[in-house]
Every structure is written in structure tokens, then in C-alpha cells.
């Protein structure tokens, strides 16, 4: 369990650094199917497709590390 948490922490840190540097900023959260409603000064944004894709990727990574 400790190894899994350490690897997961490193992966999360690397993904965070990549997103912070601008990699993925052009497509992440702007996929077809993501919901965005703007009315006047208010905006509602729900990245449903992005969440589904990230969930699939994380599930695949966890299944690989569990073996």
C-alpha cells in the first residue's frame, strides 16, 4: 500500500507540473461534450467528458500498478 501511495503521489505531482507549465491547457477541459453556459456576468462550467476520460486513465493506471 505504501508503494502505491508513493507512486500515485509522484504521478499526481508530475501531472500537476505538466498542467502548470501549460501542457494540455488547450484541450483539457474543452473537449466536445463538456458543458459551458454563460449568461450575462455568470458562467457555469462542468467538464463531464474530461472527468470521464480522467477517470478511465486513473483506473487503468491503478489496475496496472495493482498487478
Amino acid at each position: 500500500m505504501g508503494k502505491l501511495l508513493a507512486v500515485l503521489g509522484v504521478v499526481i505531482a508530475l501531472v500537476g507540473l505538466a498542467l502548470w507549465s501549460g501542457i494540455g491547457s488547450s484541450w483539457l477541459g474543452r473537449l466536445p461534450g463538456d458543458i459551458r453556459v454563460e449568461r450575462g456576468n455568470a458562467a457555469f462550467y462542468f467538464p463531464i467528458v474530461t472527468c470521464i476520460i480522467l477517470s478511465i486513465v486513473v483506473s487503468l493506471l491503478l489496475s496496472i500498478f495493482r498487478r
Side-chain angles (χ1 to χ4, degrees):
M1 185 70 166
K3 289 180 186 179
L4 175 66
L5 288 176
V7 170
L8 189 60
V10 169
V11 168
I12 289 173
L14 290 175
V15 169
L17 285 173
L19 292 175
W20 189 32
S21 69
I23 298 173
S25 63
S26 63
W27 61 269
L28 189 63
R30 294 181 179 95
L31 296 174
D34 290 343
I35 299 170
R36 182 174 181 92
V37 178
E38 294 182 19
R39 296 187 187 197
N41 293 334
F44 173 76
Y45 183 64
F46 187 68
I48 186 78
V49 175
T50 303
C51 291
I52 291 171
I53 290 175
L54 288 176
S55 175
I56 291 170
V57 169
V58 169
S59 295
L60 288 173
L61 287 174
L62 288 176
S63 69
I64 289 170
F65 286 117
R66 285 185 184 169
R67 294 182 186 180

